[in-house]
C-alpha cells in the first residue's frame, strides 16, 4: 500500500493506517476499508496479499458488491476461530451473517493471496490462485463497494498495531 493507493479509500470503522507499508489496524474489533468508487459492473473482484507480519489468529476478508443501504456484502476469508478453522464465503452484514459456502483447506500464511469474484450469480473464493469455493447466490446483484475487513473480533491481548495486507487490488472483472 502507499498513500496514493489509499487516497480513494474510505475507512468506515476502526483505526486504520499504514505500518511499514502494510495496511494495519491499531485497535480491537473489525476495521472496514473500501474503495470510494463503485466498479462499473456487478462482475467484480477484490484481492489482497497477506502481510509478511500477518498474525494467523486474526482474519482478513476481501469483499465485493457491498450494498450501501444495509452494508450487506459477499466476503471471502479464512476463519481461524477455535472449532471452525475453515475457508468461508459469507453474506456478511445480513442478519446472522450466514455462511453460504465453506470448506476445509490449508490456512493462509504471510505472503499468500486471497481473492473473491462475483460474476452474475456465481461467487468464487480463491487462495493463491486456486479456486476453493463456489456458490450461486442472487441476494446482491448490483455493482457495490469493494474492499477488505481486518478482524480481531473476540480476541484479546494482541500487540497493536497489527499488520494485515501488503497490497490490495479490485475492480470490474475483465
Amino acid at each position: 500500500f502507499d498513500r496514493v493507493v489509499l487516497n480513494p479509500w474510505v475507512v468506515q470503522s476502526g483505526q486504520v493506517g499504514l505500518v511499514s507499508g502494510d495496511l494495519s489496524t491499531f485497535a480491537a474489533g473489525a476495521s472496514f476499508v473500501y474503495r470510494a468508487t463503485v466498479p462499473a459492473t456487478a462482475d467484480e473482484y477484490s484481492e489482497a496479499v497477506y502481510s509478511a507480519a500477518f498474525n494467523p489468529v486474526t482474519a482478513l476478508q476481501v469483499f465485493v458488491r457491498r450494498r450501501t443501504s444495509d452494508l450487506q456484502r459477499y466476503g471471502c476469508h479464512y476463519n481461524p476461530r477455535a472449532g471452525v478453522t475453515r475457508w468461508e464465503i459469507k453474506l456478511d452484514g445480513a442478519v446472522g451473517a450466514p455462511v453460504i459456502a465453506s470448506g476445509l483447506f490449508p490456512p493462509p500464511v504471510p505472503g499468500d493471496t486471497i481473492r473473491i469474484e462475483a460474476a452474475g450469480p456465481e461467487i468464487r473464493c480463491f487462495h493463491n490462485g486456486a479456486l476453493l469455493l463456489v456458490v450461486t447466490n442472487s441476494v446482491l446483484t448490483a455493482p457495490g463497494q469493494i474492499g477488505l475487513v481486518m478482524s480481531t473480533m473476540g480476541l484479546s491481548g494482541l500487540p497493536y498495531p497489527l499488520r494485515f495486507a501488503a497490497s490490495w487490488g479490485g475492480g470490474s472483472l475483465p
Side-chain angles (χ1 to χ4, degrees):
F1 283 93
D2 61 39
R3 200 72 216 150
V4 173
V5 171
L6 286 177
N7 278 337
W9 285 75
V10 175
V11 176
Q12 178 171 339
S13 66
Q15 296 176 15
V16 176
L18 297 176
V19 174
S20 299
D22 290 347
L23 191 62
S24 305
T25 185
F26 293 84
S31 298
F32 288 80
V33 180
Y34 62 90
R35 175 81 50 156
T37 55
V38 172
T41 71
D43 291 347
E44 305 170 346
Y45 78 97
S46 177
E47 73 178 9
V49 175
Y50 286 88
S51 164
F54 177 73
N55 186 327
V57 302
T58 63
L60 174 64
Q61 179 189 79
V62 288
F63 65 81
V64 292
R65 291 188 185 164
R66 185 166 181 257
R67 193 164 52 195
T68 57
S69 62
D70 59 9
L71 306 183
Q72 288 189 48
R73 65 190 182 276
Y74 292 121
C76 168
H77 63 266
Y78 182 78
N79 188 338
R81 305 294 187 249
V84 180
T85 59
R86 65 185 182 196
W87 285 90
E88 298 174 339
I89 296 176
K90 289 179 79 174
L91 181 57
D92 242 346
V95 175
V99 173
I100 56 177
S102 66
L104 302 175
F105 302 97
V109 297
D112 283 1
T113 300
I114 182 176
R115 179 180 175 107
I116 188 170
E117 295 179 353
E122 191 172 274
I123 313 303
R124 301 182 290 260
C125 177
F126 298 84
H127 177 215
N128 290 335
L131 179 62
L132 300 182
L133 304 169
V134 179
V135 65
T136 299
N137 188 286
S138 57
V139 171
L140 304 172
T141 57
Q145 297 166 338
I146 55 176
L148 49 86
V149 179
M150 300 168 286
S151 177
T152 62
M153 302 283 288
L155 301 171
S156 61
L158 295 174
Y160 292 93
L162 289 169
R163 294 163 52 186
F164 279 83
S167 65
W168 177 87
S172 294
L173 287 171

